Amino acid sequence: MLQFIRNLSPIRIGVLSRERQTVFLRVNIKNPQLPTVDESLIISHKKENSVFRNLEAALSQVPPSFFQHAPIIFCLPFKHLTIQKLVVPKLKKEDLDQLVSQQVDTSHDAWDYQVFSETIKEDHVSCDLGIFKLRKTGLEGYLEIFQKYKLYVDRVITEPTVFRHLFSTGWVEPSEETFLLADLDSKHLKLYIYSDGSPVYFRSIPLGYFDIVSSLTRTIRHQDKDIAISHDKAKEILSNYPVLEGKSHPDYDFPLDHLFFLVRPNLEKLSIEIKKTITFFPKA
């Protein structure tokens, strides 16, 4: 299983590793209904580095006092996970564990699973679940990086479960309604559908913020001048100008209507995928 031994200390260290940044959170859960973030660090990375190198570089910049022997919860980068969807009869946990384990190469894969929903049809109950798999060599690679800095991971979680745990912290109030939650990271749009505060569906589309930025990295003609837009400049434009509104203004240095035309194809692709998901779950 990907979940390790729990610790009763009121302090938790959360580490979220992505391709462009590593996020460190020091959280006090003494009051489970009102946890507090005592300290947070966000360390950005160069795009050419691997996630392993980025994690090691980030850990080298965090002072040891940040950890103070608190248990560490590490969220695996999504790109290393394989997700297998499965529909099975409703079973006791021990029987379900055994059934799921038969779907996994336990000699090579670390794994866990999550039941997303239950369906009742003709007096039979079936469960839709997702099996999250990671090569043990990849997991060991991450753990060795932590051990290099004399840090030991208490629990390993995956991104689809982050939001499930978020509702249990009291940070986000669960809704009785069915809703869709979209998470756009550098390379993926991840869509989660929640009903009664529990995840019932998850999918990932291989199109992210990096693709939107890349669509702007070109030379454009404006006021009889050629303007070369680098990757960093494209990020700055998206951060400081309302490009997605598609309206130009004389006070702006860039023709926003033209820039919107460049990013529009990717935005339309994202919109189509969101609509597909909503159509599949009309209550969202």
Side-chain angles (χ1 to χ4, degrees):
M1 291 288 191
L2 293 180
Q3 183 165 315
F4 297 152
I5 301 172
R6 296 193 178 190
N7 189 299
L8 298 179
S9 168
I11 302 297
R12 295 288 188 274
I13 303 297
V15 182
L16 173 61
S17 180
R18 288 186 166 179
E19 293 183 356
R20 296 305 182 96
Q21 60 182 204
T22 302
V23 180
F24 296 87
L25 297 174
R26 185 174 177 83
V27 182
N28 190 321
I29 60 170
K30 186 175 182 179
N31 181 353
Q33 300 303 317
L34 192 62
T36 58
V37 178
D38 293 343
E39 189 177 357
S40 64
L41 297 172
I42 299 177
I43 298 176
S44 300
H45 306 297
K46 295 181 179 179
K47 63 180 182 180
E48 63 267 18
N49 289 343
S50 70
V51 287
F52 292 98
R53 289 184 178 180
N54 285 341
L55 176 61
E56 184 168 1
L59 286 172
S60 69
Q61 299 177 54
V62 180
S65 59
F66 182 88
F67 298 98
Q68 292 182 349
H69 306 292
I72 297 173
I73 301 172
F74 176 57
C75 182
L76 288 165
F78 181 80
K79 64 176 293 183
H80 293 308
L81 293 175
T82 299
I83 302 178
Q84 176 184 345
K85 296 180 180 179
L86 201 64
V87 178
V88 299
K90 186 174 182 179
L91 302 170
K92 294 180 180 179
K93 186 179 185 307
E94 55 269 23
D95 294 331
L96 187 57
D97 289 347
Q98 183 178 1
L99 177 62
V100 173
S101 67
Q102 294 172 357
Q103 306 292 320
V104 181
D105 183 357
T106 55
S107 62
H108 294 92
D109 293 330
W111 61 277
D112 203 345
Y113 69 90
Q114 178 179 337
V115 177
F116 289 116
S117 63
E118 294 182 358
T119 303
I120 301 176
K121 187 176 182 180
E122 297 180 355
D123 298 328
H124 295 287
V125 182
S126 60
C127 296
D128 294 295
L129 58 84
I131 305 174
F132 306 99
K133 296 182 285 187
L134 172 74
R135 284 294 180 182
K136 288 183 177 179
T137 52
L139 178 59
E140 290 167 355
Y142 284 112
L143 299 181
E144 287 175 359
I145 293 173
F146 281 98
Q147 291 170 5
K148 178 179 178 180
Y149 293 89
K150 298 182 179 179
L151 301 171
Y152 299 92
V153 175
D154 180 71
R155 291 175 59 202
V156 178
I157 61 176
T158 60
E159 288 200 21
T161 65
V162 168
F163 295 102
R164 179 186 63 178
H165 291 299
L166 192 61
F167 287 111
S168 66
T169 63
W171 292 349
V172 177
E173 183 177 349
S175 172
E176 295 181 358
E177 298 180 354
T178 300
F179 65 93
L180 180 145
L181 186 116
D183 177 24
L184 183 70
D185 68 16
S186 60
K187 290 189 176 181
H188 298 87
L189 172 68
K190 282 164 280 187
L191 300 175
Y192 306 81
I193 291 182
Y194 278 82
S195 182
D196 295 327
S198 298
V200 296
Y201 184 74
F202 165 75
R203 65 188 294 242
S204 173
I205 294 91
L207 181 67
Y209 179 72
F210 177 77
D211 299 286
I212 296 175
V213 172
S214 295
S215 64
L216 293 180
T217 55
R218 61 187 67 197
T219 299
I220 63 172
R221 188 77 175 172
H222 180 54
Q223 295 179 351
D224 297 326
K225 295 181 180 180
D226 289 331
I227 303 175
I229 303 178
S230 65
H231 180 85
D232 289 339
K233 189 64 178 180
K235 290 172 60 178
E236 179 186 336
I237 292 172
L238 287 171
S239 298
N240 299 326
Y241 296 87
V243 174
L244 303 187
E245 293 182 7
K247 298 178 181 179
S248 286
H249 190 280
D251 293 337
Y252 297 150
D253 298 329
F254 298 93
L256 298 191
D257 50 350
H258 181 59
L259 297 183
F260 176 75
F261 179 78
L262 297 178
V263 302
R264 182 173 177 175
N266 282 330
L267 295 179
E268 289 180 341
K269 291 177 184 177
L270 294 175
S271 176
I272 289 172
E273 295 301 333
I274 292 173
K275 289 178 180 178
K276 284 182 181 178
T277 305
I278 293 175
T279 302
F280 187 67
F281 275 86
K283 292 182 179 181

